[in-house]
Amino acid sequence: MSDFANPSLLRVARKKHRCISCAYPIEFGETYSYQTGNYDGRWYANHMHIECFEDLCADDEEEFTPYSGEPPERLRTQP
């Protein structure tokens, strides 16, 4: 089976999710990036902050380690 990723979609959270990139929460009502696909024979569904998804795309990396990314600046400055 070959690996593939569907195009990412923008969604509005109807419940709390955890960003697969930075592990910070995606809060109810927040717009986030949602992507599904198949990697190494396993199906996945990723939820990411828009900033985290853009950072991963800018790095032009096809692989990443879950929960190892830096959180968006707007979340690091919150108390």
Side-chain angles (χ1 to χ4, degrees), residues 17-73:
H17 296 283
R18 181 151 313 277
C19 178
I20 191 77
S21 177
C22 72
Y24 274 56
I26 298 170
E27 299 293 341
F28 172 80
E30 184 177 350
T31 301
Y32 67 97
S33 176
Y34 176 77
Q35 187 175 41
T36 60
N38 186 293
Y39 180 76
D40 201 21
R42 300 180 128 185
W43 294 97
Y44 67 85
N46 288 339
H47 304 83
M48 286 188 224
H49 296 107
I50 294 171
E51 300 94 333
C52 292
F53 183 74
E54 289 172 349
D55 286 347
L56 286 173
C57 291
D59 291 343
D60 203 26
E61 292 288 328
E62 291 187 16
E63 296 183 13
F64 70 97
T65 303
Y67 310 121
S68 65
E70 289 292 319
E73 183 67 33

Side-chain angles (χ1 to χ4, degrees), residues 4-22:
F4 70 91
N6 292 315
S8 66
L9 303 171
L10 292 181
R11 288 188 168 180
V12 176
R14 295 183 296 180
K15 65 177 188 176
K16 196 174 194 177
H17 296 283
R18 181 151 313 277
C19 178
I20 191 77
S21 177
C22 72

